[in-house]
């Protein structure tokens, strides 16, 4: 986005073409360096890189032939080295860039099977089977399911970790936002609060949750046409 | 598959006589002129037939010209349809057919909302919510059985 002198406005910098179906989600690589991932109904994920010299974006890799249905979302690990993608085909894939100087080396590291349909994000997955799964990354590219959280009465649309605390938030077609935390090491994650219409929550499907960097504000948006902070 | 039809004896209404349009160019690039209510109604009424009977939605009065609200400037269209029966379980299919037909006929900038006429269906709220949930619709359209049913209701539109 370019800031134009004293006028703040959104200016389209470039149109990235390549996907052949709706693009459901994009994710910036947190490690910086102008890398963006996009996932689409064409069952592929594309990695885009910004050239340092010309500042223009090109598609560096197409991750395809792994997911067999729409890829609904993608998310980078905090280190920026891993990308998780989830799909309507009920699986989450974790991709690693084997050669850090050449992003074309991204390969699917492991495939994790989950319930039905939608699955989400690194270290947590949510889905049409109304549950939230938490996955742990173990050494040697293995994944272990650490917990399955039930409670939502309809599809879970999105999950998001709090930026600083070990607390998980999930939102759903059932109009609520649930807050999960693990009281102690041996106890599993429990739902400690549900934000619904009765306590100032939304009155329709809650689609997304996001936090500010400090973690003291959360924003949610919903099918009830309201954005709440 | 249900063996008995939901609606055994549908009421058939006469097809409306088409108003003569000075600029009859339904097949023209829609970007040329603003899209209006009649145009969308034509798209929907001629080419969608009811899942159970060989009649069009217009003939069964499931949709009428007034069912369509369109605002070309904001690229928004809302279609309100009336299932023939209050407990019609075909309502989701009909809603999906309307959406698919519009998606295939309108420019991609359009936001499409589909709903059942208030008071016309027993599970109106749940139905409306489902018909407009983009994820559920996308997932449904990846289901080959559903796509087959929808395609059967939509006549090939190669005009």
């Amino acid at each position: 986005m370019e800031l134009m002198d004293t006028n703040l406005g959104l200016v389209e910098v470039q149109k990235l073409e390549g996907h052949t179906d709706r693009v459901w989600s994009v994710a910036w690589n947190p490690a910086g360096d102008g890398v963006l991932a996009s996932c689409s109904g064409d069952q592929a994920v594309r990695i885009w890189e910004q050239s340092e010299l010309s500042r223009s974006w090109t598609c560096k890799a197409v991750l395809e032939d792994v997911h067999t249905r729409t890829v609904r979302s993608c998310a980078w690990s905090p280190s920026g080295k891993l990308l998780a993608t989830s799909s309507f085909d009920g699986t989450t894939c974790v991709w690693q860039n084997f050669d850090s100087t050449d992003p074309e080396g991204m390969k699917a590291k492991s495939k994790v099977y989950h319930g039905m349909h939608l699955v989400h994000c690194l270290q947590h997955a949510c889905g049409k089977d109304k549950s939230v799964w938490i996955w742990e990354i173990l050494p040697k590219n293995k994944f272990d399911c650490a917990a399955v959280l039930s409670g939502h009465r309809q599809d879970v649309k999105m999950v998001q970790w709090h930026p600083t605390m070990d607390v998980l938030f999930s939102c759903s077609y059932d109009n609520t936002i649930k807050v999960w935390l693990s009281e102690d090491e041996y106890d599993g994650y429990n739902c400690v609060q549900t934000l619904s219409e009765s306590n100032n929550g939304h009155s329709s499907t809650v689609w997304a949750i996001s936090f500010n960097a400090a973690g003291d504000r959360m924003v949610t948006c919903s099918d009830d046409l309201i954005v709440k902070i | 598959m249900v063996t008995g039809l939901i609606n055994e004896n549908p009421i058939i209404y006469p097809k409306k006589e088409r108003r003569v349009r000075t600029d009859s160019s339904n097949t023209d690039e829609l970007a040329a002129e603003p899209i209006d209510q009649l145009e969308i109604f034509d798209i929907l009424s001629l080419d969608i037939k009811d899942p159970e009977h060989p009649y069009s939605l217009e003939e069964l009065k499931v949709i009428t010209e007034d069912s369509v609200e369109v605002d070309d400037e904001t690229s928004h269209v809302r279609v309100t349809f009336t299932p023939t029966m209050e407990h019609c379980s075909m309502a989701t299919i009909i809603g999906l057919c309307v959406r698919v037909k519009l998606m295939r006929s309108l420019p991609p900038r359009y936001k499409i909302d589909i709903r059942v006429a208030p008071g016309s269906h027993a599970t109106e709220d749940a139905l409306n919510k489902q018909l407009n949930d983009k994820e559920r619709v996308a997932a449904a359209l990846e289901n080959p059985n559903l796509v087959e049913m929808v395609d059967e209701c939509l006549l090939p539109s190669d005009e």
Side-chain angles (χ1 to χ4, degrees), chain A residues 55-85:
Chain A
R55 308 308 289 162
S56 73
W57 294 82
T58 48
C59 180
K60 280 296 186 173
V62 181
L63 313 177
E64 56 192 339
D65 296 329
V66 174
H67 282 301
T68 53
R69 285 183 67 177
T70 290
V71 188
R72 174 63 178 89
S73 78
C74 51
W76 295 94
S77 63
S79 66
K81 297 208 178 79
L82 299 175
L83 177 70
T85 60

Side-chain angles (χ1 to χ4, degrees), chain A residues 173 205 207 223, chain B residues 76-79 95-96 99 111-116 124-137:
Chain A
Y173 186 92
T205 302
W207 280 98
D223 195 55
Chain B
H76 182 229
V77 61
R78 181 162 75 170
V79 176
L96 200 57
R99 181 176 290 276
K111 168 105 175 45
I112 303 169
D113 283 325
I114 317 267
R115 62 172 189 169
V116 289
E124 182 182 324
D125 288 338
L127 192 53
N128 285 339
K129 197 175 183 193
Q130 188 163 239
L131 287 176
N132 293 298
D133 184 302
K134 62 181 180 182
E135 266 181 358
R136 288 201 176 189
V137 169

Side-chain angles (χ1 to χ4, degrees), chain B residues 47-63:
Chain B
D47 288 340
I48 309 183
K49 56 185 219 309
D50 181 85
E52 286 187 326
H53 306 279
Y55 296 108
S56 73
L57 294 185
E58 181 198 4
E59 286 168 312
L60 294 172
K61 267 231 156 107
V62 174
I63 47 170

Side-chain angles (χ1 to χ4, degrees), chain A:
Chain A
M1 315 295 165
E2 314 271 1
L3 296 182
M4 298 156 64
D5 290 42
T6 51
N7 290 327
L8 278 187
L10 288 182
V11 178
E12 182 187 295
V13 174
Q14 188 180 343
K15 198 188 268 195
L16 308 179
E17 299 189 331
H19 281 300
T20 54
D21 199 313
R22 173 193 276 177
V23 179
W24 281 91
S25 184
V26 290
W28 294 101
N29 187 319
D33 297 316
V35 176
L36 180 68
S38 62
C39 59
S40 159
D42 64 8
Q43 302 174 10
V45 176
R46 283 175 180 258
I47 312 285
W48 309 85
E49 239 185 44
Q50 188 177 33
S51 140
E52 272 182 45
L53 296 174
S54 66
R55 308 308 289 162
S56 73
W57 294 82
T58 48
C59 180
K60 280 296 186 173
V62 181
L63 313 177
E64 56 192 339
D65 296 329
V66 174
H67 282 301
T68 53
R69 285 183 67 177
T70 290
V71 188
R72 174 63 178 89
S73 78
C74 51
W76 295 94
S77 63
S79 66
K81 297 208 178 79
L82 299 175
L83 177 70
T85 60
S86 61
S87 162
F88 284 179
D89 65 12
T91 69
T92 300
C93 273
V94 179
W95 306 78
Q96 184 182 27
N97 192 2
F98 277 101
D99 180 355
S100 57
T101 58
D102 176 15
E104 276 162 15
M106 286 208 114
K107 299 219 184 312
K109 236 168 43 163
S110 69
K111 214 171 178 184
V112 153
Y113 287 86
H114 170 311
M116 293 194 299
H117 300 282
L118 323 174
V119 191
H120 261 264
C121 308
L122 190 66
Q123 290 186 332
H124 47 266
C126 61
K128 194 163 189 286
D129 62 2
K130 309 174 199 164
S131 62
V132 175
W133 293 42
I134 302 185
W135 298 88
E136 244 181 285
I137 305 185
L138 304 171
K140 300 204 184 142
N141 301 339
K142 296 249 182 297
F143 288 83
D144 190 33
C145 177
V148 178
L149 315 176
S150 314
H152 277 297
R153 281 177 297 177
Q154 290 282 2
D155 356 335
V156 183
K157 294 300 190 189
M158 186 173 190
V159 289
Q160 195 75 248
W161 289 103
H162 187 276
T164 55
M165 302 189 282
D166 203 15
V167 181
L168 184 65
F169 289 76
S170 62
C171 61
S172 159
Y173 186 92
D174 70 6
N175 308 349
T176 68
I177 299 156
K178 285 187 180 284
V179 185
W180 312 83
L181 61 86
S182 179
E183 313 260 281
D184 62 55
E185 225 179 274
Y186 303 104
D187 199 7
Y189 279 79
N190 290 310
C191 177
V192 296
Q193 191 177 12
T194 299
L195 303 173
S196 62
E197 202 170 356
S198 51
N199 49 1
N200 268 324
H202 286 287
S203 56
S204 189
T205 302
V206 186
W207 280 98
I209 303 174
S210 190
F211 290 93
N212 65 352
D216 60 350
R217 289 210 203 291
M218 172 173 89
V219 63
T220 58
C221 62
S222 160
D223 195 55
D224 63 7
L225 309 179
I226 301 177
V227 173
K228 287 184 190 264
I229 297 182

